[in-house]
Each structure stands twice: as C-alpha cells, then as structure tokens.
Amino acid sequence: MRPLRMEDRDAVAETLGDFQVARMLADVPVPFDREDATVFLVRQTCGVLAGWSFAVTGGGDAALGAVMIGQRRGRWELAFWLNRYFWGRGYAAEAVHAVAERFFRRMPEAELYAGAFADNPAALKIQRRIGLAIVDCGEVYCAARGAMVSHIAMRATAEMLSRP
C-alpha cells in the first residue's frame, strides 16, 4: 500500500469505469472516465479532506484499488474498492485491516463506520472479519444502478478490531 497519487488516474478510471465494480459503490456514476478519476484524485490528494487515502498494490507500484477513511455526515467512514480482476485474492481484506488499524492507533477513541450493499457478500465478509458489527439495515441510492439498494451499515471501535 501507498498513498493515492495523480499518476493513479488511469487505474482509477479503469476500475471505477467497470460497472461490476461501480454497481457495488454508492457514489460512483456510470460512465466513470479519466476526467472523473482526476476529480476523485484531486479531492483525495489535495490535503483539504480530513482522513487517509491509500492505493492498494499487489507487490508492485500499480494501483489495484483504494482504501479510504474520511469524514462524512459528521463521522469517520471507511470505503474501499478493488479492480475486479483481483477479487478473491485477499488484497482488500489485508488493506482494509491495515488502514483501520492505523486509524485506531491515531484515534483510539473514535468510531469507524462502513457499509455495503446486501448483494455484496465479499465486502460484508471483509468488514465482519476485521471486527465491524451491523448497526442498521436500510436502503441507499446507488448512482451506477440508478436505484435504491438494500444496504447494511456497520461500526467498529478500536477494541472491536480483529485480524482478518
């Protein structure tokens, strides 16, 4: 893992431009192109937003995905995504745990929120494996699908964090 940077633009555009990835994320529009990736990366790397943004790498320098923790709706929220050609290899679980662990080392009294669509069992499994617990179920608008989708909200504290 390493910080996200503007050089990740093409990798971000490719991954978030893939409907199979975008459909599992609430705020990613379809189509998602290089210009959208630029806007995303400027927001993540400009230093104005409170939080952390990391590229997930597979041993090389190429960005295979991202893990981010930032302020949203007055609370700390975890978000992550991975290029679908790397799903099922453990990259996301390892990266999410590493970022959450770093977050709680710096902010041991904080609460961390995350969530996933109910039809995304892989993301829910990663969140449960690192210690997040379900706090709510409802519906969230998914821009890629253009519809409300069943969503499971989760929360963790430093004491709840476990090894994936």
Side-chain angles (χ1 to χ4, degrees):
M1 288 185 25
R2 60 168 172 72
L4 280 169
R5 56 187 184 223
M6 291 305 295
E7 293 82 9
D8 296 325
R9 178 179 25 246
D10 290 336
V12 169
E14 176 187 343
T15 298
L16 296 182
D18 180 345
F19 182 74
Q20 296 307 313
V21 175
R23 69 182 293 278
M24 295 301 181
L25 304 168
D27 299 328
V28 178
V30 172
F32 188 94
D33 58 25
R34 197 166 192 266
E35 184 176 323
D36 295 313
T38 300
V39 171
F40 167 78
L41 288 166
V42 165
R43 289 182 46 96
Q44 296 300 318
T45 63
C46 70
V48 173
L49 299 176
W52 297 273
S53 300
F54 295 96
V56 177
T57 60
D61 194 48
L64 309 178
V67 178
M68 298 147 297
I69 295 178
Q71 284 276 323
R72 187 171 178 171
R73 295 184 292 257
R75 62 187 193 183
W76 291 103
E77 290 195 2
L78 166 75
F80 62 95
W81 44 266
L82 191 66
N83 185 297
R84 75 176 158 123
Y85 297 106
F86 297 92
W87 290 354
R89 298 185 190 183
Y91 291 124
E94 184 177 336
V96 167
H97 184 272
V99 172
E101 190 173 59
R102 178 179 178 165
F103 172 79
F104 283 124
R105 271 198 316 265
R106 296 206 178 166
M107 303 183 72
E109 302 302 318
E111 293 182 334
L112 183 61
Y113 291 84
F117 291 131
D119 63 350
N120 189 350
L124 293 166
K125 181 179 177 182
I126 288 168
Q127 291 174 30
R128 281 193 316 271
R129 283 181 62 198
I130 68 163
L132 284 105
I134 295 173
V135 293
D136 194 19
C137 298
E139 288 191 330
V140 170
Y141 183 76
C142 176
R145 300 184 202 192
M148 298 298 287
V149 179
S150 295
H151 183 266
I152 299 172
M154 304 180 93
R155 178 187 74 83
T157 63
E159 295 80 28
M160 296 166 69
L161 192 65
S162 61
R163 187 73 191 149

